[in-house]
C-alpha cells in the first residue's frame, strides 16, 4: 500500500509554549528578579517516548498519532537550542538569552525546566508577534546570523542530532506581567529519512541484500524551510512551496539493510535535475543474483516506477520494500509515519 509522499511530519508541542514571567525590578527583589525592561521566558521541555503520525493533507497539520517512534530522531541538544522573538514579518527583534536548562525528575522520560531572558524588550515589545526555535543547527544568537543561509553538514559518523526549526504566534506581551501561552509549536526536522528493506519471507528463499547506496544526494542542507518568514505557525507551511535545497551534490552514500539513513533535501523534479536513485545488489544463497535501481517515484501494482519523481523533502520518511515474485523484482515505496512527541505542558521532541 502506498501513502502519498507528502504525508510525514514531526510535531513538537509546547503547552503552554511559554510562561513569560515579567516583573518590575527593585532593590528588594529576590534572586529571580528581572530588569524592568526585560522579559523572562520559562517553559518545560521533555524528551521521552514518541508516537508517530501521518497527515492526510498537503501540509504539517491534521495530526493523528498512532505508532511508536525512534527516540534518537527526536533528541534535542540542550546546548544548541536557540530561541528568538520575531515581528509579524518574521524578522528577529530579540534573542532569548541566558538560557538555563535544569533536569527534572519525571517517570515518563527526561524533563527539563528552561528559562531565558529577552533583554531590553521595552522598545520592541509591541512588535513581538512570533516566537522561533532553532535546534541542533550549531547556531549562535539568531539575531546575529543570516537565517536563510543557516546550514548544516551531513556527517554520518559524528552527527547525533537532527536539525530542527519551528515557529508560533505570540499574544500581546505586557511588561511586568506573566503571559501564559496556549499556542503550540511544531518542530520540523531539516532532514529526510530513507530506508530499504527486503520482505521478511525472502530470507527463507535464500535472498539477502548485499550492498546498497543512494546515487546523488546533497551533503549539506538548510536548517529552515524556504518560506519560514511568511507563516505565523509551522503547520501553515505547505509542502509544495517549502523545499529549500542546498546544492551540494555528491555521487553516493551507503545504505544498510533495514537501517535508516538521514540526508538533506534533494531536488528530483526541476528541469535538468539529476535524479536521486538507490542501487541494490541482491544475493541469493551467498551469490550475486542481480543489481537493481530504485527510484523516488510511485510504483504500480507490478512494482514498476510510474509518474513523475518525488523530491526528497525534509521531515519525510521514504521506505522501499523489495521482494521477488515470478522471477522479477517487485518494489513497493511507502511513506511511513514519522514520530511526534505529545505531552501536556511540555515541549516534546
Amino acid at each position: 500500500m502506498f501513502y502519498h509522499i507528502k504525508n510525514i511530519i514531526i510535531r513538537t508541542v509546547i503547552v503552554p509554549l511559554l510562561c513569560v514571567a515579567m516583573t518590575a525590578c527593585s532593590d528588594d527583589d529576590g534572586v529571580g528578579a528581572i530588569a524592568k525592561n526585560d522579559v523572562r521566558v520559562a517553559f518545560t521541555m521533555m524528551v521521552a517516548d514518541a508516537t508517530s503520525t501521518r497527515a492526510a493533507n498537503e501540509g504539517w497539520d491534521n495530526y493523528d498519532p498512532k505508532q511508536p517512534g525512534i527516540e534518537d530522531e527526536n533528541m534535542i541538544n540542550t546546548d544548541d537550542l536557540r530561541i528568538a522573538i520575531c515581528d509579524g514579518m518574521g524578522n528577529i527583534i530579540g534573542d532569548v538569552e541566558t538560557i538555563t536548562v535544569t533536569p527534572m525528575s519525571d517517570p515518563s522520560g527526561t524533563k527539563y525546566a528552561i528559562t531565558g531572558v529577552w533583554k531590553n524588550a521595552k522598545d520592541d515589545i509591541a512588535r513581538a508577534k512570533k516566537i522561533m526555535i532553532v535546534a541542533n543547527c550549531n547556531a549562535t544568537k539568531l539575531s546575529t546570523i543570516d537565517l536563510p543561509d543557516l546550514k548544516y553538514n551531513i556527517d554520518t559518523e559524528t552527527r547525533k542530532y537532527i536539525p530542527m526549526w519551528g515557529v508560533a504566534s505570540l499574544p500581546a506581551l505586557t511588561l511586568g506581567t506573566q503571559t501564559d501561552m496556549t499556542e503550540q509549536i511544531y518542530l520540523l526536522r531539516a532532514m529526510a529519512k530513507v530506508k530499504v528493506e527486503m520482505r521478511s519471507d525472502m530470507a527463507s528463499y535464500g535472498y539477502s541484500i548485499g550492498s546498497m547506496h543512494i546515487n546523488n544526494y546533497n551533503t549539506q542542507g538548510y536548517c529552515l524551510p524556504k518560506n519560514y518568514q511568511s507563516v505565523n505557525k509551522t503547520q501553515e507551511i505547505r509542502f509544495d512551496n517549502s523545499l529549500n535545497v542546498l546544492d551540494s551534490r555528491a555521487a553516493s552514500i551507503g545504505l544498510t539493510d533495514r537501517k535508516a539513513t538521514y540526508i538533506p533535501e534533494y531536488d528530483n523534479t526541476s528541469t535538468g535535475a539529476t535524479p536521486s536513485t538507490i542501487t541494490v545488489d541482491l544475493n541469493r544463497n551467498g551469490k550475486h543474483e542481480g543489481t537493481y535501481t530504485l527510484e523516488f517515484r510511485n510504483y504500480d501494482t507490478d512494482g514498476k516506477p510510474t509518474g513523475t519523481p518525488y523530491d526528497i523533502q525534509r521531515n519525510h520518511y521514504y521506505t522501499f520494500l523489495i521482494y521477488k515474485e515470478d522471477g522479477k523484482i517487485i518494489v513497493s515505496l511507502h511513506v511511513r509515519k514519522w514520530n511526534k512527541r505529545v505531552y501536556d505542558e511540555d515541549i516534546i521532541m
Side-chain angles (χ1 to χ4, degrees):
M1 180 178 181
F2 173 74
Y3 295 113
H4 196 273
I5 200 76
K6 298 175 177 179
N7 286 349
I8 307 308
I9 59 135
I10 178 176
R11 171 177 161 183
T12 298
V13 182
I14 305 175
V15 187
L17 166 62
L18 292 177
C19 181
V20 185
M22 296 167 282
T23 59
C25 182
S26 71
D27 292 339
D28 295 329
D29 285 337
V31 176
I34 180 172
K36 64 181 180 180
N37 291 331
D38 294 351
V39 174
R40 178 184 293 130
V41 296
F43 55 90
T44 302
M45 181 175 72
M46 177 177 283
V47 181
D49 290 339
T51 56
S52 298
T53 184
R54 182 173 63 88
N57 53 29
E58 296 300 306
W60 285 287
D61 47 12
N62 188 24
Y63 303 115
D64 182 21
K66 296 295 183 184
Q67 298 179 357
I70 299 175
E71 183 175 357
D72 288 351
E73 297 169 353
N74 304 302
M75 291 176 62
I76 299 295
N77 180 2
T78 56
D79 292 327
D80 190 7
L81 183 66
R82 304 291 176 256
I83 306 169
I85 307 298
C86 305
D87 64 17
M89 301 299 292
N91 302 305
I92 293 177
I93 58 176
D95 293 288
V96 176
E97 304 178 67
T98 320
I99 297 174
T100 62
V101 182
T102 304
M104 301 170 62
S105 177
D106 187 89
S108 61
T110 304
K111 180 184 285 188
Y112 303 92
I114 299 178
T115 62
V117 177
W118 176 23
K119 297 181 178 179
N120 302 314
K122 182 178 180 180
D123 292 341
D124 292 315
I125 197 167
R127 298 169 53 216
K129 303 299 181 183
K130 304 178 186 180
I131 182 82
M132 182 185 297
I133 292 179
V134 173
N136 305 337
C137 292
N138 194 29
T140 56
K141 290 182 180 180
L142 299 185
S143 63
T144 65
I145 60 178
D146 189 355
L147 272 179
D149 291 334
L150 182 60
K151 63 185 179 181
Y152 64 90
N153 296 311
I154 183 174
D155 189 332
T156 57
E157 298 299 323
T158 62
R159 174 162 291 281
K160 184 177 180 180
Y161 304 98
I162 296 176
M164 301 181 189
W165 165 89
V167 69
S169 297
L170 279 171
L173 304 178
T174 304
L175 291 170
T177 65
Q178 177 171 300
T179 301
D180 295 322
M181 288 187 57
T182 58
E183 181 66 59
Q184 297 176 337
I185 283 187
Y186 298 72
L187 289 191
L188 298 181
R189 301 182 186 91
M191 305 180 81
K193 177 180 178 180
V194 181
K195 185 169 71 172
V196 177
E197 56 187 344
M198 180 174 293
R199 200 173 66 184
S200 59
D201 64 324
M202 295 305 297
S204 63
Y205 301 114
Y207 289 100
S208 62
I209 292 178
S211 62
M212 294 188 295
H213 57 271
I214 300 175
N215 310 297
N216 304 312
Y217 76 104
N218 283 321
T219 62
Q220 297 178 308
Y222 289 115
C223 295
L224 279 59
K226 190 173 185 179
N227 57 346
Y228 75 94
Q229 284 184 299
S230 66
V231 298
N232 294 317
K233 53 186 178 181
T234 310
Q235 60 268 39
E236 290 178 353
I237 292 180
R238 303 292 91 184
F239 298 131
D240 60 4
N241 61 1
S242 62
L243 188 74
N244 198 14
V245 175
L246 177 53
D247 188 12
S248 50
R249 185 165 62 93
S252 68
I253 184 173
L255 282 170
T256 303
D257 184 17
R258 299 180 181 273
K259 183 178 179 180
T261 294
Y262 304 90
I263 55 175
E265 292 183 302
Y266 189 88
D267 180 4
N268 269 335
T269 59
S270 296
T271 302
T274 303
S276 181
T277 60
I278 298 175
T279 298
V280 179
D281 286 319
L282 191 64
N283 296 333
R284 188 174 189 187
N285 297 324
K287 296 182 179 180
H288 185 254
E289 187 274 342
T291 300
Y292 302 91
T293 299
L294 314 181
E295 302 180 32
F296 287 87
R297 292 200 287 169
N298 197 359
Y299 282 78
D300 60 23
T301 55
D302 291 327
K304 296 180 180 179
T306 182
T308 57
Y310 292 113
D311 292 320
I312 299 174
Q313 194 159 12
R314 69 181 60 216
N315 215 79
H316 286 63
Y317 179 8
Y318 305 81
T319 301
F320 294 84
L321 180 67
I322 61 176
Y323 57 97
K324 291 212 73 171
E325 190 172 89
D326 297 328
K328 60 183 179 182
I329 278 286
I330 306 295
V331 179
S332 177
L333 172 59
H334 299 263
V335 180
R336 299 283 179 87
K337 304 173 180 66
W338 206 348
N339 42 326
K340 71 173 185 178
R341 300 277 170 121
V342 181
Y343 296 90
D344 292 338
E345 302 180 356
D346 298 302
I347 256 193
I348 313 309
M349 308 309 170

